[in-house]
Structure formats: structure tokens, C-alpha cells
Amino acid sequence: MERHRPRIVDLMIVLAVLLVGLMEIWVPFASRAGGGNLWLSSAQVLIVAAAMVVRRTRPLIAAGVTFVLFSGLHIAEMTFLLFYGQFVPMVLTTFAVARHGKYREPYIGAALIIGTMLLGDLLVPELQDPDEIVFHWSALFGAYALGTWQRVMANQAAQARQRAIDAEVEAAARATTAILEERTRMARELHDVVAHAMSVIVVQAGAAQLVTDDEDDVRRSLETIRSTGANALAEMRRFVTMLRDQDETALRVPQPGLSAVEQLVHDARANGLPVTFEVRGTPRDLPAGIDLAAYRIVQEALTNARQHASGVSSIEVIVDYAGGALHLGVHDDGMAVAQTSGKGHGLIGMRERVQLYGGSLRAGPSDTRGFLVDAVLPLGPQ
């Protein structure tokens, strides 16, 4: 309904101009002046009303028809001088050409209007009264000024909308790039995890071949092969849709786990960060992927605290084995020096890792002071 409302309004205006203009000729109204032919005047009103149908889409055509018919017919004394049937359409089309005209149309329309009215003032006696001159020039100038102002405002609003769209698209592109980069890194890490698992399997299989006379050693080797292979396959299922780095010559290094968090804390303290580290619950062996994901989450949280907070007096790092899940908490009490809304690349990486293992993440301002990262990674039964 909103899309059709301007058309309905335009049709109502056209019908009003047509009916009132014809009544002005035939009744006649006191506003009818000069001499002219009734039928030619009626035809002029009809043509002008038809031209006003396109005053939004073809404003220069609508203004041209309205003003040229006025100057051509009335100056030749073939039609009456009409207020409702001529002047009102002239005001409306003046507004339309200023408001809806594109490129040079508003300026061409202004030249047409000024030229026509100057010609009318010189050749039509009814328009030469000083009060009449002030009236029709004021009305036309006001209509043109209002249309120009609305056009400028509409253009500025359109530009603002486009800038907002461009900014949103750019932000989405940056987020997508960050996600792809993080997934590429995670896929590279998967390569190292699985490669290590395959190495263990090969070693254990070779050992089993050498101790075929010792059933207990064979059983232990086969159990190691089974559990290592099962974990590697689980990681492969999680990462199967991840992107891979095409550079197969990239340096592969052993991937860290939670056991390396103490080194992270030590390095942070060496850089001047007041970090405390606490492990709660009973530590347990973790699948390689979760072990690596937990390390990366703590690493990114400490990096975030270092880059985005000032006046830090304490940073707490808590690793909690509780309720069949691994809880990771990093809380600083600093004041943010840059807007941290949970949309940075590091936080995107945390979220990707947590979602991969079906966990949950809260990253944002603390209820009291500072910034809090709280991640939960399900571990399942031990």
C-alpha cells in the first residue's frame, strides 16, 4: 500500500485540477480572467491535467507542457487566464521539476519557468499589476525553493544510507575474512594433530609386531592404536569442512595444549601483566583438539587484555575441570582504551573454536569492572 500511495495522491491531484479547472471555465468562477474560447480553454486544462500524471517521473515534460501551453495559447488570447486550471498546475510542476528533476533538469526547468513568466508579464495585461507580479513570482519561487530543499535532503539521506550499507558490507567482509583465516589456521593445526596421531599409530603397530609373544604388550599397543585413531577420526569429522592452506611447504610445529598455559602466564608476567593462574578440579587427559582449542582461547584472551585494557591491576586465569566440561575464565579489571564489542578477530577465533566443540562463550564487559572471557568446552564422561 505504501508503494502505491504517491500514485493515488497524484491521481487525486490530477482529478481535482481537471474538475475544478473545467468548473472555473464553465460555471464560471471569479478567478477566470481575460477572453478566450471555452472549448480551447477546456482542452488546455485537460492536456495540462494529463501532463501532471507524470510530474514525478517526467517532471520536465510536465512543466514544459504546462508553461508552453500557457504562453502559447493565452498570450495569443485563445484561452482564458485561469487560476485553478493554469496557475495551480504551474506551481505544482515548478515544485516537481525542482524536487524530482535529475541531472540538469532542475536548471533547464528553472530557465523555462523564468522565460515563460517574463514573457507573460510583458504581454499579458492581467499579470502586470504590481500585486499580481509579487504574488505569482513569490508562489513560483517558493515552490521551486521547497522542491530544491527536499531534493537536497533526499540526496543526503540516500548517500547516508549508502554509506551505512557500504560500512555494513565492509564489516561483514572483514568478519568473513577473519573467520576464513582462523579456520585456515585451525585446519593447519588439525594437520599437525592428525599427523602426530598417525605417527603414534605407526610406532605402536611396529612395536606390536616385535612383541607378538607378549600378549599384554600387544594388547596395550592395540589399545593405544585404537584410542589414538578414534581421537584422530573425531578431530577429522569436526574439521572436515574447514579450509586448508594451499601452501603444503609451511613449517609444521608441535601444537601446544593446556600444559603450555603456565608458559603463557609466565610470558605475560615478564611483559608486566599482573596475571594469576589457578587450576580447579581434577585435571584429566583431553582430546588433542580440545586441548589445543583451550590453549588458543586463553592465549587470545590474554592478548585481548594486553591490547585493549589500561590500568590493569589484576588478570585472573582460571582452568576448571567440573561437571563433565572444561571451564576457561580470563578476567581483567582494566578500563577499555578501545571499543571492545565482541567482534574483534581474536574473539571471532574463540567463538569458532568453542562452536566447533559444541560449547559456549561469553566475551564482553564484566558486571563489575574490566573484560571477561568465559568459555565452556564439553568433555563428556571420563
Side-chain angles (χ1 to χ4, degrees):
M1 182 63 184
E2 293 292 334
R3 295 173 54 188
H4 299 293
R5 183 170 296 174
R7 295 183 181 180
I8 295 174
V9 172
D10 284 348
L11 289 176
M12 293 177 62
I13 291 174
V14 168
L15 289 175
V17 167
L18 179 61
L19 293 176
V20 177
L22 292 176
M23 292 174 63
E24 186 178 21
I25 296 170
W26 291 92
V27 169
F29 291 170
S31 56
R32 191 187 82 177
N37 183 278
L38 292 172
W39 294 105
L40 281 177
S41 298
S42 299
Q44 181 188 22
V45 170
L46 180 62
I47 295 172
V48 168
M52 288 185 61
V53 174
V54 297
R55 69 186 182 91
R56 290 180 186 268
T57 56
R58 300 289 188 272
L60 189 59
I61 293 177
V65 169
T66 303
F67 281 87
V68 168
L69 283 180
F70 164 76
S71 61
L73 296 179
H74 184 71
I75 293 175
E77 298 184 352
M78 299 173 65
T79 59
F80 293 104
L81 182 65
L82 305 174
F83 178 79
Y84 300 104
Q86 288 177 345
F87 185 70
V88 169
M90 291 164 71
V91 172
L92 294 176
T93 54
T94 297
F95 171 83
V97 79
R99 169 63 181 87
H100 303 293
K102 295 179 175 60
Y103 308 112
R104 297 182 178 180
E105 288 182 344
Y107 309 107
I108 297 174
L112 172 68
I113 294 165
I114 293 173
T116 302
M117 293 310 299
L118 287 175
L119 188 63
D121 288 345
L122 292 173
L123 301 178
V124 178
E126 291 86 354
L127 298 179
Q128 295 172 354
D129 183 85
D131 291 339
E132 177 62 30
I133 291 175
V134 171
F135 171 74
H136 64 245
W137 279 106
S138 298
L140 293 173
F141 177 81
Y144 191 89
L146 178 61
T148 300
W149 177 77
Q150 289 195 3
R151 186 182 78 252
V152 171
M153 292 298 101
N155 290 341
Q156 290 180 353
Q159 292 172 2
R161 286 194 299 270
Q162 189 59 49
R163 286 195 296 269
I165 293 172
D166 292 343
E168 185 174 352
V169 170
E170 183 180 353
R174 286 198 302 268
T176 300
T177 300
I179 290 173
L180 291 178
E181 290 174 352
E182 186 62 29
R183 289 184 176 181
T184 299
R185 184 171 73 157
M186 292 165 69
R188 186 184 298 115
E189 292 170 352
L190 169 65
H191 174 277
D192 298 332
V193 170
V194 174
H196 174 72
M198 293 301 103
S199 298
V200 171
I201 290 173
V202 170
V203 170
Q204 292 297 325
Q209 287 180 328
L210 296 176
V211 294
T212 54
D213 57 340
D214 189 331
E215 293 183 0
D216 291 337
D217 286 343
V218 171
R219 188 177 296 107
R220 283 194 296 270
S221 295
L222 293 177
E223 175 58 25
T224 301
I225 291 172
R226 185 202 65 78
S227 61
T228 303
N231 287 335
L233 286 174
E235 294 301 322
M236 286 293 293
R237 291 190 186 99
R238 290 189 180 99
F239 278 97
V240 70
T241 58
M242 293 295 178
L243 300 176
R244 276 303 311 268
D245 189 344
Q246 298 301 316
D247 183 8
E248 295 299 331
T249 63
L251 179 63
R252 305 300 182 186
V253 296
Q255 297 299 327
L258 271 182
S259 60
V261 169
E262 288 190 18
Q263 184 61 42
L264 277 180
V265 173
H266 175 76
D267 293 342
R269 288 170 180 164
N271 290 325
L273 290 179
V275 185
T276 61
F277 178 48
E278 180 182 359
V279 177
R280 299 175 182 173
T282 303
R284 53 185 284 190
D285 291 335
L286 301 175
I290 291 182
D291 199 22
L292 173 59
Y295 173 86
R296 292 299 188 203
I297 289 170
V298 175
Q299 183 184 45
E300 294 291 358
L302 287 175
T303 300
N304 183 75
R306 181 183 300 112
Q307 292 179 347
H308 300 292
S310 65
V312 177
S313 61
S314 69
I315 301 176
E316 297 178 350
V317 178
I318 298 175
V319 177
D320 188 1
Y321 299 84
L326 178 65
H327 297 255
L328 305 170
V330 179
H331 178 213
D332 67 71
D333 62 353
M335 297 296 293
V337 297
Q339 185 63 28
T340 305
S341 60
K343 298 181 181 179
H345 289 190
L347 297 179
I348 289 175
M350 293 186 208
R351 189 168 290 109
E352 286 288 304
R353 294 178 186 276
V354 168
Q355 290 177 351
L356 182 66
Y357 294 99
S360 62
L361 174 71
R362 176 194 169 194
S366 168
D367 294 335
T368 55
R369 174 188 168 98
F371 196 85
L372 173 68
V373 173
D374 186 10
V376 180
L377 298 172
L379 298 179
Q382 191 167 3

